[in-house]
Amino acid sequence: MSNLAILPVGNAQPALPCQHFPMPYQAVIWRNWGMVPMARLAQILDCSEDQLVHAAGAMGLQPQDDLCDTWCQRGYQTIIRQNWHLLSYEQLLVAIAWTPEKLDFILREDDFFWHKLGYFKPIVDSPRYTPLNAEQARATAQLRHWLEDALAPLPPQSAAPFAFLHQRLNHAAPTPAAADGGLRMIYSYSALYGDPLLDSAADPFPDELLADYAAAGVNALWMQAVLYLLVPWFGDTPYSAQHELRIANLRQLTARLRKHGLKLMLYINEPRAMPEPFFQFHPDWRGCKDRSTDLYTLCTSLPEVREKLSQGVETLFRLVPDLGGLFCISMSENLTNCWSRSSLAKPTACPRCAQRPPADVVAEVINAINDGARRGKADADVIAWSWAWPSAWDADVLCQLPKNVKVMSVSETAVPTHVGGIDGVVSDYSISKPGPGPVASRLWDLARAQGLDVVAKTQLNNTWENSAVPYLPVPDLVEEHLQGLRAKGISNFMLSWTLGGFPGGNIRLLHHSKEELAQMDFGKAAPDILRAYRCFSDAFRHFPLHGTSQLYLAPQNYGPHNLLYDSPTDYRATMIGCPYDDLKAWRGGEHYPEDVFENEFRLLSDGWQDGLDILRRVAPAIAPTQRQCFDDLWHVAEAAYCHFRSSYLQIAFVRRRQAEDHAAMRDILHDEIALAQRLLAVMNGDSRIGFEASNHYYYTRNSIIEKIFNCQHLLATLGNNNQN
């Protein structure tokens, strides 16, 4: 296992133990069963496959390897996250059968994965198999008993993970293309993020999904790209290895989309920051350093860098003539130009760029990209995303852009919030607080005054308020947002970031009212369904949102999966990674008082349950021809409730732990067990639950059962304490 030294370590802390398993290696078996081939698990644990099967059987697991290839190809983030506190890097590489170089790339480039993991690798004692002693065997038998009790009341599993990849997901009648000819761009519900064009077998756009998008009125899909992986625009270096294969796969992909009337848009942050060894090829190009990694900009104040970048974009469009266009972020969290957000200092530490207005630097990058795209394909769509442009100079960027560039802004930015008596403001990713907001409205007006067309970036199906379901059934809120955008004359829409790409759900509100959809889907039951929708929408307004802390750090994306602890872990919550028990971070530092934060999640989940009660009452009246639509709605609504209610319970648990109220803690543990069972029942029949494209599966069937083990173990511990 050579070159492990290239893998990041960060400010490492000791790994969290899994005290609900008698032996650490049992946690490895449990979390990887059916995901990592048994031969690899045996190698990791230094045992025979017979010993492995026997150890798994003692916990109630049967041999199950048929989906391992799919998990390693499409669920590698899930595998890495679940083993982050269990396995060393060396063992982890065996589990996913990767080189250190590939893991290093994924940690850096797969949608901030290193950030999501907390910028550190926990210190682990590499677990190894050993036979159980008598006490450990008794504890293991208890695990099996808890498993049997948990599964006894549940329906049999009828939907395996990833089953949705081979199913039609949009059951509605076809929707015609937008009459205004506007952009309807979305991210693939099933696309990998990091380097999807290298492996043609991991098709980011299955034909069934493309047909669903076309039927839903979508006309463009987007995917992330790194220019040097497609075109060696800065010369023949190892960084562009296999670019020919990626281009060949991209050509095939764009041709397939064209057959469905769809175009592909690439999302680029260019030029990408590069590590120290790169600058042996171009020593003069170095700009400023990233503030959290050992990466440096390619300084775009150098005409040579801009010209090479522009030529690279031109080459890309000439090589892939069916490519529809691109959109770019110039002030990204990914370090690009020397004035972008991740530079080490403000003003920038780059001596060239420090002497220049940031608006000029940003506009030059956009224009270099646009010029290259136009030379390669005259009618390419080029969109400049205004994300993080400061109001002090955003107008100065707009006046330097040509009229063939569209300007995109996040619609809901700066919408004021008032939840639980606490004022706040939306950053982005909000459905609970509908836009459009003042920031986008102002910038769209400025852009139009310059003769530039505009695009609204929205989230119609879900957000980080809960991305574990394909869509949130809150059409009242989504319709309110869309009506506000229509009033402003918006005709171009980006419908999702990596989350929310489901080819149905709320995106149908672009073409139909909620009343029309309820009638189409549920016939005579439509009035009751509309009442349920109103309950869900009204309840969701209680989501306590300010900035991004609650979106990124609170537990609503993981729900019942997040484990509970009888004492503080002192781990900080990570962005869409692991909430741990970091209540302070969940509530935005001191922004939401603990009691308000807890109560708003209680009100949210109570109101959501009211909507579920309506659905349960109306279920017998649903006609057989409408049953598929009803089951779809029930699954997403029930799973969303489990996430929101579990978030409330986790907040309450941490607070009761602080108060040493063991009786209340035990009540919460019983409630969490019941929620885990409710979520398992939905998962058994719907492979979409828990999946999000850029994070893969947040949890697995086994990890939700592990939460039950966790709660049962804590109940036994608290019972032994015999307090309160």
Side-chain angles (χ1 to χ4, degrees):
M1 200 63 62
S2 62
N3 213 22
L4 284 171
I6 70 171
L7 295 171
V9 175
N11 186 19
Q13 300 171 248
L16 289 175
C18 296
Q19 295 178 339
H20 41 282
F21 288 104
M23 292 291 286
Y25 74 80
Q26 292 174 312
V28 177
I29 295 173
W30 188 267
R31 293 186 185 181
N32 293 284
W33 201 247
M35 301 169 70
V36 174
M38 288 186 289
R40 290 188 211 158
L41 280 179
Q43 180 182 350
I44 289 167
L45 297 177
D46 195 21
C47 66
S48 69
E49 287 192 46
D50 287 343
Q51 289 172 317
L52 183 77
V53 170
H54 181 267
M59 295 185 287
L61 298 173
Q62 300 300 316
Q64 186 181 13
D65 264 10
D66 52 318
L67 282 179
C68 288
D69 288 346
T70 303
W71 273 110
C72 292
Q73 181 187 68
R74 287 187 162 274
Y76 55 82
Q77 278 203 23
T78 308
I79 294 173
I80 292 169
R81 277 198 310 270
Q82 293 195 157
N83 288 288
W84 200 238
H85 283 266
L86 292 181
L87 301 181
S88 66
Y89 268 140
E90 186 171 7
Q91 291 175 308
L92 191 56
L93 290 169
V94 172
I96 50 183
W98 286 0
T99 64
E101 289 77 11
K102 181 172 181 178
L103 179 55
D104 179 60
F105 175 85
I106 290 297
L107 291 173
R108 285 188 291 108
E109 295 290 358
D110 203 342
D111 197 33
F112 304 103
F113 196 29
W114 178 237
H115 185 176
K116 292 175 181 179
L117 292 168
Y119 290 122
F120 74 97
K121 175 67 177 77
I123 302 167
V124 303
D125 292 326
S126 299
R128 305 291 180 189
Y129 169 84
T130 57
L132 301 177
N133 61 30
E135 182 180 349
Q136 292 161 351
R138 283 194 296 272
T140 301
Q142 180 64 72
L143 288 182
R144 184 166 185 160
H145 177 68
W146 288 338
L147 171 65
E148 292 167 350
D149 282 352
L151 298 184
L154 301 183
Q157 185 177 7
S158 60
F162 301 104
F164 65 84
L165 290 172
H166 311 292
Q167 298 170 347
R168 290 296 299 270
L169 300 175
N170 183 0
H171 308 297
T175 297
D180 56 19
L183 182 69
R184 303 288 189 269
M185 177 171 65
I186 203 166
Y187 188 79
S188 169
Y189 184 58
S190 63
L192 298 176
Y193 192 88
D195 195 6
L197 293 171
L198 194 57
D199 183 2
S200 59
D203 182 5
F205 304 116
D207 279 319
E208 296 90 345
L209 189 59
L210 296 181
D212 282 335
Y213 284 128
V218 170
N219 56 23
L221 291 106
W222 72 266
M223 67 186 301
Q224 181 257 7
V226 176
L227 187 60
Y228 69 75
L229 294 179
L230 297 170
V231 177
W233 65 272
F234 43 51
D236 184 16
T237 72
Y239 298 96
S240 299
Q242 296 186 284
H243 66 92
E244 301 95 341
L245 176 58
R246 294 185 183 91
I247 284 290
N249 287 335
L250 183 59
R251 287 171 63 93
Q252 294 175 7
L253 181 58
T254 55
R256 278 205 300 116
L257 263 68
R258 181 165 52 86
K259 293 178 181 178
H260 290 272
L262 304 167
K263 62 183 177 182
L264 182 67
M265 302 284 287
L266 295 184
Y267 162 50
I268 63 172
N269 288 331
E270 298 292 346
R272 299 294 277 205
M274 300 301 289
E276 178 82 31
F278 168 82
F279 295 96
Q280 65 180 304
F281 302 104
H282 296 286
D284 297 335
W285 288 14
R286 187 201 304 265
C288 64
K289 183 182 180 297
D290 184 80
R291 63 184 175 211
S292 57
T293 65
D294 291 327
L295 298 174
Y296 297 82
T297 60
L298 311 186
C299 179
T300 58
S301 286
L302 292 170
E304 181 185 8
V305 173
R306 296 198 304 275
E307 182 57 30
K308 290 288 188 183
L309 172 62
S310 188
Q311 290 172 1
V313 175
E314 176 185 359
T315 300
L316 172 63
F317 278 91
R318 292 191 184 280
L319 290 173
V320 190
D322 285 330
L323 186 62
L326 57 83
F327 65 91
C328 61
I329 292 182
S330 46
M331 292 295 290
S332 176
E333 293 153 321
N334 282 317
L335 184 60
T336 53
N337 64 81
C338 296
W339 276 105
S340 54
R341 286 174 48 124
S342 293
S343 59
L344 187 61
K346 295 288 189 287
T348 177
C350 172
R352 289 178 290 257
C353 295
Q355 307 304 313
R356 308 186 62 220
D360 291 1
V361 173
V362 167
E364 283 178 346
V365 174
I366 296 170
N367 287 332
I369 291 170
N370 181 59
D371 290 346
R374 301 297 174 183
R375 292 194 304 269
K377 183 176 183 177
D379 62 347
D381 251 334
V382 176
I383 301 171
W385 193 344
S386 67
W387 190 84
W389 288 1
S391 59
W393 50 257
D394 54 10
D396 295 334
V397 176
L398 295 177
C399 69
Q400 298 181 59
L401 300 182
K403 290 181 172 54
N404 57 8
V405 170
K406 293 183 175 73
V407 176
M408 181 163 70
S409 300
V410 175
S411 177
E412 64 271 22
T413 296
V415 166
T417 70
H418 187 76
V419 179
I422 307 298
D423 291 331
V425 66
V426 172
S427 176
D428 53 11
Y429 295 120
S430 172
I431 290 179
S432 67
K433 316 295 180 287
V439 171
S441 297
R442 169 185 163 273
L443 208 62
W444 291 330
D445 289 343
L446 288 171
R448 283 167 164 162
Q450 295 290 334
L452 301 169
D453 202 358
V454 298
V455 183
K457 188 275 176 185
T458 62
Q459 290 291 145
L460 301 189
N461 271 338
N462 66 24
T463 74
W464 300 125
E465 293 161 316
N466 185 349
S467 58
V469 292
Y471 64 94
L472 291 162
V474 289
D476 301 69
L477 296 172
V478 175
E479 194 169 61
E480 180 182 330
H481 191 171
L482 289 174
Q483 288 171 350
L485 290 169
R486 292 185 185 111
K488 292 185 175 298
I490 300 296
S491 60
N492 298 307
F493 296 88
M494 180 180 183
L495 307 176
S496 77
W497 185 236
T498 58
L499 66 168
F502 182 70
N506 297 325
I507 65 172
R508 297 188 296 159
L509 291 165
L510 285 164
H511 308 283
H512 302 282
S513 70
K514 63 180 181 293
E515 290 81 8
E516 290 171 336
L517 292 176
Q519 185 63 43
M520 290 161 54
D521 293 345
F522 304 107
K524 294 180 180 180
D528 290 311
I529 298 296
L530 288 168
R531 282 193 289 272
Y533 285 159
R534 175 57 61 87
C535 286
F536 297 145
S537 298
D538 288 347
F540 200 38
R541 293 182 191 272
H542 283 283
F543 190 94
L545 176 60
H546 169 67
T548 59
S549 289
Q550 298 79 39
L551 297 174
Y552 290 157
L553 304 177
Q556 73 277 346
N557 287 294
Y558 285 84
H561 166 82
N562 195 40
L563 298 178
L564 298 173
Y565 302 90
D566 58 2
S567 60
T569 68
D570 296 324
Y571 268 80
R572 296 181 63 181
T574 70
M575 182 188 78
I576 321 292
C578 188
Y580 298 113
D581 55 351
D582 190 0
L583 176 56
K584 184 174 182 179
W586 299 351
R587 57 191 180 89
E590 300 298 332
H591 187 80
Y592 284 104
E594 289 185 1
D595 59 339
V596 171
F597 196 61
E598 176 184 332
N599 191 50
E600 291 305 313
F601 269 102
R602 181 187 64 80
L603 291 170
L604 194 173
S605 53
D606 283 351
W608 200 278
Q609 182 62 59
D610 291 341
L612 288 173
D613 291 342
I614 294 173
L615 294 185
R616 188 176 286 108
R617 289 195 296 270
V618 78
I622 297 297
T625 55
Q626 298 151 356
R627 175 55 58 177
Q628 194 170 34
C629 289
F630 184 83
D631 288 346
D632 181 278
L633 173 59
W634 174 261
H635 289 164
V636 298
E638 172 79 346
Y641 170 80
C642 292
H643 279 248
F644 294 136
R645 192 66 177 182
S646 181
S647 298
Y648 156 63
L649 291 172
Q650 291 176 54
I651 296 163
F653 186 87
V654 173
R655 297 191 68 215
R656 304 309 177 270
R657 186 181 69 189
Q658 293 168 351
E660 299 184 1
D661 185 348
H662 289 203
M665 290 168 68
R666 286 194 291 270
D667 290 342
I668 292 168
L669 291 167
H670 285 297
D671 288 346
E672 279 279 75
I673 290 171
L675 273 180
Q677 288 181 295
R678 284 178 69 167
L679 185 59
L680 281 169
V682 182
M683 292 173 66
N684 278 354
D686 195 329
S687 65
R688 304 170 303 167
I689 303 304
F691 180 84
E692 190 276 312
S694 67
N695 290 286
H696 306 175
Y697 275 100
Y698 287 119
Y699 44 74
T700 67
R701 193 167 177 268
N702 270 15
S703 71
I704 298 300
I705 295 171
E706 183 182 340
K707 176 62 172 286
I708 295 174
F709 293 170
N710 164 237
C711 291
Q712 292 283 18
H713 174 80
L714 289 175
L715 282 168
T717 302
L718 291 171
N720 290 337
N721 289 339
N722 197 29
Q723 297 181 21
N724 291 349

